[in-house]
């Protein structure tokens, strides 16, 4: 399973990544977690072909907070 976390709070992303990793390991699930600190890099990841089973997305971020036409 591939998971993305996108949030501009570095402390929060670190804690969330640890929780997800631990829970997946405890349940025997292989996972890859990519962490993004702004929406622009997440969009670039999509554009380069990356796909995710699950995305944890911050509601308000400095970059790409407003709806965008892609």
């Amino acid at each position: 399973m591939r998971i993305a976390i996108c949030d501009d709070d570095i402390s929060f992303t670190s804690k969330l990544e640890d929780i997800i990793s631990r829970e997946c390991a405890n349940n025997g699930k292989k996972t890859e977690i990519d962490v993004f600190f702004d929406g622009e890099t997440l969009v670039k990841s999509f554009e380069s072909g990356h796909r995710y089973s699950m995305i944890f997305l911050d509601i308000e971020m400095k970059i790409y907070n407003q709806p965008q036409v892609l």
Side-chain angles (χ1 to χ4, degrees):
M1 177 183 330
R2 190 167 189 158
I3 298 172
I5 300 171
C6 186
D7 196 303
D8 54 0
D9 183 337
I10 295 170
S11 174
F12 175 76
T13 58
S14 178
K15 290 175 187 174
L16 183 56
E17 183 178 16
D18 288 343
I19 291 167
I20 294 168
S21 294
R22 187 174 43 247
E23 287 300 313
C24 287
N26 288 343
N27 291 290
K29 304 286 182 184
K30 280 187 143 185
T31 186
E32 292 181 44
I33 302 173
D34 293 336
V35 178
F36 303 93
F37 301 110
D38 61 71
E40 185 176 15
T41 54
L42 176 60
V43 169
K44 287 181 181 179
S45 178
F46 290 134
E47 291 173 345
S48 68
H50 291 102
R51 298 295 175 254
Y52 299 96
S53 304
M54 187 179 305
I55 300 172
F56 291 87
L57 183 62
D58 189 1
I59 294 172
E60 289 189 29
M61 291 185 291
K62 293 175 182 112
I63 300 175
Y64 276 12
N65 189 42
Q66 301 300 318
Q68 303 288 317
V69 177
L70 300 176

